[in-house]
């Protein structure tokens, strides 16, 4: 029988920490930690994500500034908005929702975000610190996965960890966090010759490819394997499903995250953690969250 690594008990724990910390910051400084979200265009998924982020901030006693722009916004106006948010002492975290429309240079926008307000950990400065194990604002999805692993007391030290996918937002930072926790880390990707050989050796597998049921029941899973599924895909019937074929893989492994209800809810929880951390850092308060 496998363990179902549900997010709910983990995110509840994180939210309790965040709301305590937010209240303490408000009591000490008179100002609640505040997240600014920037949404460009009308992509339905992005609209839903940004709305949820704002609602969650409000629910936890945090401030939320909501900036929405038409899809045809100029690079200059978007850059000016980021400059204003950088300079605004009441804004602790800045999140520009991706993807941006094609005519905009995404890197220029993300490079401009003040690293102390970069709650996504996308800026080159913070990615550098992350590689050195010194970054206080960890990338939200990989940090959420580490919270799941910690909550369910999964040992990492000395284990073989396999990250499938090498995106800047999940795969690469995930490999770093696992390395810092003393795993032996392999990153597999679309050009990897023998994925099955990697899976056969893996104790912890993080699937972050973005393709429906890419990891099948036919792979040589270890019975003791812990499987973390980052995929949020829609199948032909528009049903949410992960990168791992849950029904086929779950009976073969020791533990697996469900989709939905696994990694997904942790991303937003860690965004709230980062907003509080950014506020603590900028106000020079030594508390932890
Ligand atoms: N689009 C999808 N996921 C994310 C995220 O974690 N951060 C931002 N800024 N945009 C996203």
């Amino acid at each position: 029988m496998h363990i179902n690594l549900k997010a709910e008990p983990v995110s509840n724990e994180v939210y309790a920490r965040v709301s305590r910390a937010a209240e303490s910051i408000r009591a000490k400084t008179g100002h609640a930690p505040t997240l600014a979200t920037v949404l460009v265009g009308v992509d339905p998924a992005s609209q839903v994500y940004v709305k949820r982020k704002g609602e969650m901030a409000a629910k936890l006693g945090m401030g939320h500034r909501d900036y929405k722009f038409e899809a045809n916004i100029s690079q200059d106006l978007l850059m000016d908005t980021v400059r204003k948010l950088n300079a605004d002492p009441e804004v602790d975290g800045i999140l520009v929702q991706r993807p941006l429309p094609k005519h905009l240079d995404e890197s220029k926008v993300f490079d401009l975000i003040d690293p102390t307000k970069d709650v996504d950990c996308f800026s080159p400065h913070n990615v550098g610190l992350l590689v050195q194990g010194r970054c206080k604002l960890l990338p939200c999805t990989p940090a959420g996965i580490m919270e799941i692993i910690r909550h369910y007391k999964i040992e990492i030290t000395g284990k073989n960890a396999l990250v499938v996918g090498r995106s800047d937002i999940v795969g690469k930072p995930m490999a770093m966090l696992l390395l810092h926790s003393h795993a032996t880390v392999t990153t597999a990707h679309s050009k990897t010759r023998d994925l099955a050989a990697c899976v056969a050796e893996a104790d912890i597998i993080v699937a972050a490819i973005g393709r429906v049921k890419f990891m099948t029941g036919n792979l040589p899973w270890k019975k003791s394997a812990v499987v973390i599924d980052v995929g949020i895909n829609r199948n032909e019937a528009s049903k949410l499903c992960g990168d791992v074929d849950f029904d086929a893989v779950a009976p073969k492994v020791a533990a697996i995250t469900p989709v939905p209800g696994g990694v997904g809810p942790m991303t937003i929880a860690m965004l709230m953690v980062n907003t509080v951390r950014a506020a603590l850092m900028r106000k020079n308060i030594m508390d932890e969250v």
Side-chain angles (χ1 to χ4, degrees), residues 19-20 24 44-45 68 99 104 115 144 162 166-167 174 197-198 226 241 274:
S19 75
R20 271 198 305 273
S24 154
K68 290 199 172 82
L104 296 169
L162 172 65
R166 55 174 159 177
S167 66
M174 188 72 244
C198 300
V226 173
C241 52
N274 277 350

Side-chain angles (χ1 to χ4, degrees), residues 46 49 53 95-99 110 120 122 140-141 169 267:
S46 293
Y49 287 139
K53 289 165 187 175
L95 179 133
V96 179
Q97 185 68 22
R98 281 180 20 171
F110 287 102
D120 269 318
F122 285 166
C140 298
T141 301
I169 183 166
T267 300

Side-chain angles (χ1 to χ4, degrees), residues 86-100:
N86 281 345
D88 188 333
E90 297 204 338
V91 169
D92 296 295
I94 302 170
L95 179 133
V96 179
Q97 185 68 22
R98 281 180 20 171
L100 290 174

Side-chain angles (χ1 to χ4, degrees), residues 5 68 119-121 141 174 195 210 258 272 284:
L5 304 171
K68 290 199 172 82
V119 285
D120 269 318
C121 190
T141 301
M174 188 72 244
L195 180 65
M272 301 299 130
N284 259 324

Side-chain angles (χ1 to χ4, degrees), residues 195-210:
L195 180 65
C198 300
V199 171
E201 297 295 321
D203 302 303
I204 298 169
I205 298 101
V206 179
I209 312 109

